[in-house]
C-alpha cells in the first residue's frame, strides 16, 4: 500500500501563501532541495489541486528556459516524466501525463493508495488537503 505524502511550503508564521494568494516567497536552498530529492525518490505519482496544478504546469514544462537554478534543472525532467493527477471539478484538460479526477475524493485516494508502487505526493493548497484530512 502506498503512502500519501503532503508536500507544502509553510512560512514560519504558518501560512502557505501571501495575503493576496501569492506564492513568491519560498526559496529552495541546498538543504530543502536535498530533502526534496529524497522525497521525490519515493514517489511514483504527483497529486495536485487545480490551483497548484495551474501554477506547476505553467512553470515546470519549460523550467530550463526560465531558470538556471540547480534544483529546477534537476527536478524539471522528473516533473515531466512522473504521472500526475489533478483533483478538480472545473478543469477539462491538463496535458503532461495527467489525469483529472472530479469524482469521490475519498474513493479515488483510497484506490490510488491500494495500488502497488511508489508513494503518492500531494502538492496542493488548503482545500484539497483539508478535504482529505477530514476523511
Amino acid at each position: 500500500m502506498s503512502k500519501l505524502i503532503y508536500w507544502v511550503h509553510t512560512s514560519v508564521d504558518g501560512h502557505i501563501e501571501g495575503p493576496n494568494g501569492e506564492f513568491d516567497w519560498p526559496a529552495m536552498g541546498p538543504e530543502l532541495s536535498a530533502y526534496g530529492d529524497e522525497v521525490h525518490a519515493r514517489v511514483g505519482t504527483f497529486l495536485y489541486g487545480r490551483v497548484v496544478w495551474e501554477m506547476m504546469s505553467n512553470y515546470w514544462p519549460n523550467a530550463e528556459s526560465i531558470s538556471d537554478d540547480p534544483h529546477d534543472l534537476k527536478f524539471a525532467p522528473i516533473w515531466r516524466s512522473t504521472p500526475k493527477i489533478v483533483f478538480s471539478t472545473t478543469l477539462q484538460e491538463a496535458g503532461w501525463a495527467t489525469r483529472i479526477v472530479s469524482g469521490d475524493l475519498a474513493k479515488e485516494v483510497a484506490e490510488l493508495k491500494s495500488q502497488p508502487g511508489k508513494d503518492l505526493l500531494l502538492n496542493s493548497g488548503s482545500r484539497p488537503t483539508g478535504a482529505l484530512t477530514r476523511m
Side-chain angles (χ1 to χ4, degrees):
M1 177 178 266
S2 299
K3 291 183 180 181
L4 178 62
I5 301 166
Y6 180 46
W7 177 269
V8 64
H9 295 279
T10 306
S11 66
V12 174
D13 59 352
H15 295 278
I16 61 174
E17 63 184 19
N20 299 308
E22 67 272 14
F23 187 69
D24 58 359
W25 53 270
M28 288 294 290
E31 185 177 0
L32 184 55
S33 293
Y35 176 70
D37 292 345
E38 291 176 29
V39 171
H40 295 129
R42 298 176 40 193
V43 171
T45 305
F46 295 145
L47 309 176
Y48 296 101
R50 182 195 51 82
V51 174
V52 174
W53 164 254
E54 289 176 346
M55 180 179 58
M56 298 292 274
S57 65
N58 283 322
Y59 185 79
W60 290 111
N62 303 305
E64 295 92 343
S65 67
I66 300 168
S67 172
D68 61 359
D69 183 273
H71 166 77
D72 292 0
L73 299 176
K74 184 174 184 179
F75 183 68
I78 294 168
W79 185 89
R80 288 191 294 265
S81 65
T82 301
K84 294 166 267 307
I85 295 173
V86 179
F87 299 114
S88 175
T89 57
T90 59
L91 195 63
Q92 298 300 310
E93 58 182 66
W96 295 105
T98 304
R99 181 168 64 99
I100 299 170
V101 171
S102 59
D104 183 337
L105 186 60
K107 180 181 174 186
E108 291 286 346
V109 171
E111 185 177 315
L112 288 168
K113 287 179 64 180
S114 72
Q115 295 174 8
K118 292 183 162 187
D119 292 334
L120 309 164
L121 184 70
L122 175 63
N123 192 339
S124 76
S126 59
R127 278 184 237 142
T129 305
L132 287 170
T133 301
R134 286 187 296 277
M135 293 174 201

